[in-house]
Amino acid sequence: MDQTTPDEHAVVPFLRAGPPPDRTRWEGWQQWRKIRGTFVAAPRLTPAEHQSLSPRRRALHDLHRTATHVNMRLQETPMSARVANLMRGRLQNNAVKFMPGTRDGLMINGGGFQGKTETACDAAASFEDVWREVHHQLLPGPTPGTRDVFVPVAYCRLPVRATPKGLCKAILNVYGNPHPGTLDDLVRAVRDAIRDHHTTALLIDDITRLRLHREDDQDTLDLIRELMDLNVTLILIGVDIPGSGLLRGAYVDQRTGQWVFPDHGRGGRHHAATATQTGRRFDMVDLDPFDYSTPAGITAFLDHLAGIEDQLRLLRSFEGMLTSGETPEYLFGRTRGIVGLLRRLIEDGCTEAILTGEERLTPELLAKTTIHLGNLDDLDPGAGEVPDIPQVTVPPAKPRRRRGRNTVLDDRGNRPAAGD
């Protein structure tokens, strides 16, 4: 007779079925949008409670703890809040404009692994959550026999070697549309897809892969500007946009503080008649790493560490494990305040803590942990997408306790003479 308890055969709820969602396809974006923030962390157990589990349950719990550490929720920082608020405001303002013409875009600038993509995608998904609640008031019902897919947000990545054709194909892949053979037909198909699917926001990641010393890159940038005529808000995401050459030919409007790209056009085959003769305008916002040189910056970093600490499920963790003593300064030195590097260090450190039985994070344990950036095949080091990892691995030296002085021969003062 099977003596196994009922939940022994239950489906493990914290494991993913199938590959992760591909946000560059509308189906994958919808899957990610709906499940984001729904992961259920492992329960907190004491060492005694953990030891009392059966070997199988203990192994499952350890796997759940590992899943918890690598699926920590996206934490808002003062830097990401500034970016997200500006982006959500821009999307909402542009979405409710009635007049035709270009929509002001947004450029999100920052270093590699600083959370630009996740911040932008989360802000876009939050906007879509609201926009989908009201879209039935703006759109007719489904038409039988047609493919009516509402795609308010489209996210794609610029190919490593950017060309107008490559960008068009990346955008069409979002909708699952076929690729026409000629560039003119590709551009026409992109414009039709954005209109037909009522796309309000178009996010183009890795924009600084455009080098602009090649004619294809310059034509690709011109095509991106022309897409602003489609009543769509362009969100361009890239590493070191000011230093990439992407802003060449643009200027800052002193009245609005926005970057303006003049509508002169290069006359390429894809260049279509624009709806207006106004410049293409972008705001640029920086997503910076944490700053450890000011009281406000230190406080923000400590708050972030406290949020991470609250999500950890190490058996010997304690309040202040990441925020007290020399640990915050050590973590900042290892990561330079870059949230992506900090996340990887904590993930790998937790794995090491579980495997060794240490079950807590200390500078000494983290000093033995190498920061692994994972699969970098889809990143372009030449565009700054792979950050330099600080080589600081030595834990902070603990202050040596001063040895007490031998006081045996000290004069104690007026002691009574022997025999008194």
Side-chain angles (χ1 to χ4, degrees):
M1 180 177 178
D2 187 1
Q3 299 295 327
T4 307
T5 56
D7 63 342
E8 292 280 343
H9 291 308
V11 176
V12 181
F14 56 86
L15 293 183
R16 182 185 66 239
D22 181 1
R23 292 185 296 199
T24 63
R25 304 293 191 271
W26 74 266
E27 300 96 331
W29 175 273
Q30 294 308 315
Q31 181 185 359
W32 168 80
R33 182 181 65 86
K34 294 174 182 178
I35 67 172
R36 77 187 200 284
T38 61
F39 180 83
V40 178
R44 300 179 189 275
L45 297 183
T46 65
E49 291 170 335
H50 181 263
Q51 191 61 34
S52 67
L53 298 174
S54 68
R56 182 177 183 278
R57 294 293 302 276
R58 192 182 309 129
L60 284 176
H61 181 69
D62 288 345
L63 183 60
H64 196 175
R65 290 198 292 152
T66 299
T68 300
H69 297 153
V70 300
N71 290 285
M72 289 186 287
R73 66 178 181 273
L74 181 67
Q75 292 190 164
E76 186 178 78
T77 68
M79 301 80 72
S80 67
R82 182 176 66 253
V83 173
N85 290 337
L86 177 59
M87 181 172 164
R88 283 192 290 262
R90 179 60 46 85
L91 291 176
Q92 291 176 7
N93 290 346
N94 288 347
V96 296
K97 286 183 178 179
F98 284 84
M99 299 301 294
T102 60
R103 299 289 186 258
D104 289 350
L106 184 65
M107 293 183 288
I108 300 177
N109 175 61
F113 280 73
Q114 287 180 189
K116 301 181 300 300
T117 297
E118 294 307 315
T119 298
C121 286
D122 187 69
S126 297
F127 162 77
E128 183 174 342
D129 291 342
V130 176
W131 196 241
R132 281 188 173 275
E133 292 181 3
V134 300
H135 89 278
H136 64 277
Q137 302 177 23
L138 306 174
L139 299 178
T143 303
T146 64
R147 184 185 181 196
D148 294 317
V149 179
F150 180 44
V151 186
V153 175
Y155 169 81
C156 68
R157 301 180 64 187
L158 199 68
V160 173
R161 185 173 177 83
T163 63
K165 281 189 174 181
L167 176 59
C168 287
K169 292 177 181 179
I171 295 174
L172 291 174
N173 286 341
V174 174
Y175 307 100
N177 289 3
H179 303 162
T182 67
L183 178 56
D184 289 338
D185 289 339
L186 278 168
V187 174
R188 186 178 300 109
V190 166
R191 299 172 77 90
D192 290 344
I194 291 176
R195 288 194 180 102
D196 293 346
H197 295 283
H198 299 273
T199 300
T200 302
L202 175 60
L203 281 64
I204 303 179
D205 206 348
D206 303 322
I207 191 64
T208 44
R209 290 177 176 178
L210 292 174
R211 301 295 194 272
L212 299 187
H213 63 280
R214 298 184 305 119
E215 185 176 355
D216 280 343
D217 289 14
Q218 298 170 22
D219 286 342
T220 304
L221 180 58
D222 286 343
L223 173 61
I224 291 172
R225 298 175 192 171
E226 290 172 15
L227 294 177
M228 298 176 75
D229 289 331
L230 300 177
N231 295 336
V232 64
T233 302
L234 282 184
I235 309 294
L236 308 181
I237 309 167
V239 175
D240 188 21
I241 291 177
S244 67
L246 189 65
L247 300 176
R248 188 167 59 195
Y251 63 91
V252 177
D253 186 330
Q254 298 300 322
R255 183 177 57 86
T256 63
Q258 293 176 305
W259 286 90
V260 180
F261 290 86
D263 277 339
H264 48 72
R266 298 189 64 257
R269 287 185 300 154
H270 63 275
H271 186 72
T274 55
T276 67
Q277 292 301 313
T278 60
R280 270 63 175 152
R281 296 176 179 271
F282 286 87
D283 282 302
M284 183 165 63
V285 59
D286 295 317
L287 185 57
D288 299 316
F290 283 99
D291 176 21
Y292 209 72
S293 63
T294 65
I298 294 174
T299 299
F301 188 61
L302 291 177
D303 289 343
H304 189 73
L305 293 180
I308 293 176
E309 183 182 301
D310 182 62
Q311 300 183 67
L312 302 185
R313 294 298 186 265
L314 298 177
L315 300 179
R316 298 177 61 202
S317 63
F318 55 91
E319 185 176 356
M321 181 176 64
L322 300 182
T323 59
S324 61
E326 303 293 334
T327 303
E329 187 172 349
Y330 176 76
L331 290 172
F332 187 86
R334 284 292 303 272
T335 64
R336 295 198 187 102
I338 299 174
V339 293
L341 297 185
L342 177 63
R343 188 185 188 97
R344 292 297 177 91
L345 177 60
I346 295 298
E347 288 179 6
D348 293 340
C350 287
T351 300
E352 183 70 14
I354 293 175
L355 290 176
T356 61
E358 179 69 19
E359 290 292 347
R360 61 177 179 173
L361 296 181
T362 64
E364 291 74 22
L365 181 141
L366 293 172
K368 304 173 186 177
T369 304
T370 303
I371 298 177
H372 297 287
L373 297 183
N375 185 4
L376 304 179
D377 292 342
D378 60 344
L379 299 181
D380 183 4
E385 295 170 12
V386 180
D388 294 329
I389 301 176
Q391 298 302 314
V392 180
T393 57
V394 180
K398 295 182 178 180
R400 296 178 59 185
R401 286 196 331 187
R402 294 187 60 183
R403 197 171 182 179
R405 188 170 58 85
N406 192 330
T407 61
V408 173
L409 301 178
D410 284 359
D411 185 358
R412 301 295 183 180
N414 297 325
R415 289 180 295 177
D420 286 358

